[in-house]
Amino acid sequence: MAAVRPQVSVLSVEGKPVEQIALPAVFTAPIRADVVRTIHTNLAKNKRQAYAVFNKAGHQTAAESWGTGRAVSRIPRVPGGGTHRSGQGAFGNMCRGGRMFAPTKVWRRWHRKVNVNQKRFAVASALAASAIPSLVLARGHRIEQIPEVPLVLSDEAQAVSKTSKAVEVLTKLGAIADVEKVQDSKSLRAGKGKLRNRRYVLRKGPLVIYGEDAGLTKAFRNIPGVELARVDALNLLQLAPGGHLGRFCIWTKSAFAKLDEIYASKKGFQLPTASMLNSDIARIINSDEIQSVVRKPKVNNVKHAPLKKNPLRNLGAMIKLNPYAKVARQAEITRSRENAVKRAAKLAAIAAGKPSGATKPTKEVKAIGKAFYKKAVSESEYQGEDYELFTRWLGKSQ
């Protein structure tokens, strides 16, 4: 299988590259965080110890119900007298000193069976994620100073037998920052675990994967946060602690070279391959090979229903219905402008004290008006006692 990075540098214990080694095919496996999380959840349940409450708890009394007719509930009550305990409710989960609801039993289904090939798939995915620097950094490991990922050491590292020498090797590789992060993270555990020989908690540090143990385990096992694993027995719980991908792994050359042999020997299992070898979809679509065979983009000829316009508000719509509307509108605008000019001239003349030009009524017209007024007044005059009182009340005199 073609790998993304066909060659990886092998470093000496002094931190200097000495040779190149081919990248195993397992590092090109697809990274499936969902599969890893599911398998990790099930595998982590297989280390649980059974727990349960005492099977006789809450039932260590000869309590019986008093029955009906005594104006008390029918809960079983402690027999006897002469003490506060007698007559108290018992057995029920709502009673003081009673049992819990649904007492836990040791025959709960604590463990989970996981398909072998599913475990192999998850391990392969976790290994592939450990070779991607961004995922390793996202998991919280301090790998800014190391030369490259994955980090491979020569087999002389397997002969390191002193912890001081192991710390020196990590320092020269630039991986000591991850160990210091672990040391700084040491804190008291929250909860009752601090009373049960689990007093402190630490972050996870590097995982050293070796082929043959020639003193390596004794040298690294006392460094905080550092874990060791044999390449023949890789465990998902170590490769993806908490179900989170991106564990910082330090390989020895023999362990790194043995990965292809290990996965080739697993019967009934084929290394998973990604659906796409190149995930840069934009580059693929825009390549000359694809663009030369794709069809031209379709022109959107969708015809929508025309928008109905109100002819009373829209002049264009009115002209379509009544072509004379345009002439009438223009005539109205012209007339309005003329009237505005006349009104402005009239107001200016009035302001200047000039006659406005309005026609005054003639003498004949005024005489006709006066005669009409007199006639109307005479016809509206009232006579009588009531009218006189009314006129006096108004303050008028006859």
Side-chain angles (χ1 to χ4, degrees), residues 124-136:
S125 186
L127 286 175
S130 69
I132 299 178
S134 57
L135 292 180
V136 179

Side-chain angles (χ1 to χ4, degrees), residues 224-342:
V226 176
E227 296 181 358
L228 296 108
R230 191 181 179 90
V231 69
D232 299 309
L234 293 176
N235 187 358
L236 183 66
L237 300 178
Q238 288 183 313
L239 290 172
H244 305 299
L245 293 168
R247 182 72 185 268
F248 175 32
C249 298
I250 300 176
W251 301 80
T252 63
K253 178 186 173 183
S254 58
F256 199 71
K258 199 174 181 181
L259 283 173
D260 282 333
E261 178 186 344
I262 290 173
Y263 278 95
S265 64
K266 295 183 184 294
K267 294 183 179 179
F269 178 74
Q270 187 176 4
L271 271 175
T273 57
S275 301
M276 298 181 65
L277 295 179
N278 184 1
S279 60
D280 192 352
I281 300 178
R283 182 178 179 183
I284 293 173
I285 293 176
N286 295 322
S287 64
D288 294 336
E289 293 81 1
I290 299 297
Q291 291 297 320
S292 62
V293 295
V294 296
R295 294 177 300 201
K296 293 182 179 179
K298 290 184 178 180
V299 179
N300 190 5
N301 291 325
V302 178
K303 293 183 178 180
H304 299 282
L307 180 64
K308 185 177 181 181
K309 298 178 181 179
N310 186 358
L312 299 177
R313 294 176 177 270
N314 191 297
L315 181 60
M318 176 60 82
I319 292 173
K320 290 181 180 180
L321 297 175
N322 179 16
Y324 183 72
K326 183 177 181 180
V327 178
R329 178 65 64 86
Q330 290 177 345
E332 182 182 352
I333 293 173
T334 302
R335 185 168 58 254
S336 177
R337 289 176 180 173
E338 292 175 353
N339 291 338
V341 171
K342 291 179 180 179

